[in-house]
Amino acid sequence: MSFLKKTLASFGIGSARVDSILQQEYLVPGEKAKIKIEVYGGSTAQEVDNIELKMCCRYIAEEPAKNNDDRHDGRMRRVPRNYVLSEWKLPYAFTVEPGEQRDFDIDLDVPWNTPITLGDAKVWLETGLDISMAIDPTDKDILTIRPDSLMDGVLTELEEQGLRIRQVECEETKGFALPFVQEFEFVPTTGPYHGRWRELEIVAHRSEESLELWFEIDRHKSGIGGMLSSLLGTGKLKRSLTIPAHTPSQEAGKMVVEYLESTSN
């Protein structure tokens, strides 16, 4: 093999590449993602030290804003941060020969509270090959995350009541396994809440045992503006509901509507 080919491979030209192929159309929190990783050899044999697969998402955090003198000016600014939800690494190294294809079948956990991909919520896979003395090949794939049966029942029932999702964001908060919670903002466009509420905010937290929900209702023109997640753990929230995991999907939605009716008068 020529010195030129080895040199080009070390700079990522004509080197190995990697693809991740999701075997499902969409993913659901609490289940597993079935993924095939395909590694293709380049024009020269290369030692792959590791394959790393990550499921990532993005959430919004707040940090002190600084002026031109790099001093805190009393304001806060919203900044996006990435978070690794789940990851897998190959436990051994291998050599990929020129033109060779190596396949790896992976089961990757989709953790509870993986963001549902609505609104601004994004979840993706990052796959990388660790190759010494080379530009590491990577692959990035956007994922579709659908709600589990309990959350699906809640969202479906709220939609049937005339509440439309206006915004979905992952907001930083404390006191949970993940550094953020997903917040859903609804506006009533038809139905019994049109003219009664300006907006409804919901924060959901799922575990194996239950779905826990926090609610904030705004009847005024000012709007809540994403305050719900910041109030978690402060003792200021008056409305919360816990739905056991064994609850049928349609029943979960009805429980939420009945609870809101009983606490919003």
Side-chain angles (χ1 to χ4, degrees), residues 33-64:
K34 296 186 179 300
I35 302 163
K36 174 173 283 189
I37 298 176
E38 298 179 346
V39 179
Y40 300 93
S43 57
T44 181
Q46 288 182 289
E47 182 75 12
V48 178
D49 296 327
N50 188 23
I51 301 176
E52 188 173 46
L53 178 69
K54 295 179 180 179
M55 182 183 296
C56 306
C57 69
R58 184 164 297 171
Y59 67 96
I60 301 299
E62 287 193 347
E63 65 178 29

Side-chain angles (χ1 to χ4, degrees), residues 81-94:
R81 290 181 180 167
N82 292 349
Y83 181 79
V84 177
L85 293 157
S86 186
E87 60 184 325
W88 172 89
K89 293 182 179 181
L90 187 69
Y92 56 86
F94 66 95

Side-chain angles (χ1 to χ4, degrees), residues 7-15 134-135:
T7 302
L8 290 176
S10 71
F11 283 99
I13 302 172
S15 63
I135 300 173

